[in-house]
Amino acid sequence: MSKGQSPSFATTIEVRDACLCLHVQRAARSLARLFDEAFRPVGLTNGQFSLLMSLNRPRPARMREVAALLAMDRTTLTAALKTLERRGLLAVDVDPDDRRGRLLTLTDAGRETLSRAVPIWRERHAELEKGIADPDGLRAALLGIS
């Protein structure tokens, strides 16, 4: 293909059929919709569930740790935290070791919400895994990408 020439329609089909990024994005959107619907009765989205789960730990989490775990930039994480903080599901406090940093902690209401959401996740996740030939292999492959 010469400079300035548009790719052929055959190239479009090639990318559509072979592009791993496209297929992972499509699968991620489908999974997000599936879990958004499942978590609706407890008032969470799949992203909020993942965020709350990332805070379910013995000690407060630093924002940078949570951002890294969830592969989110700090701006996006801050916006997601504000919604959950307003709902009283988590607390954001100044890090005493670094006044610029923030520590994130689940509240009692956040733990209660998770306790209602985890059985939903387990059930839906088990159903999902039944339809995947090698779920452990898929997890390993996805972890290898990140």
Side-chain angles (χ1 to χ4, degrees), residues 1 5-15:
M1 178 171 30
Q5 184 180 2
S6 294
S8 68
F9 184 65
T11 302
T12 300
I13 300 303
E14 174 191 2
V15 171

Side-chain angles (χ1 to χ4, degrees), residues 31-46:
L31 287 171
R33 283 191 300 273
L34 177 81
F35 281 97
D36 282 348
E37 180 64 30
F39 290 134
R40 186 169 288 128
V42 295
L44 294 176
T45 65
N46 76 87

Side-chain angles (χ1 to χ4, degrees), residues 33-98:
R33 283 191 300 273
L34 177 81
F35 281 97
D36 282 348
E37 180 64 30
F39 290 134
R40 186 169 288 128
V42 295
L44 294 176
T45 65
N46 76 87
Q48 291 169 335
F49 173 78
S50 295
L51 179 48
L52 291 176
M53 284 303 301
S54 76
L55 302 180
N56 188 38
R57 51 177 79 194
R59 291 179 204 75
R62 289 186 167 80
M63 279 191 64
R64 67 180 170 269
E65 297 166 345
V66 174
L69 175 68
L70 299 176
M72 296 174 82
D73 62 72
R74 289 179 59 121
T75 303
T76 304
L77 176 58
T78 298
L81 290 169
K82 286 180 181 179
T83 301
L84 296 171
E85 184 181 23
R86 279 193 301 270
R87 290 179 53 197
L89 301 179
L90 60 87
V92 180
D93 298 300
V94 174
D95 184 344
D97 296 332
D98 177 2

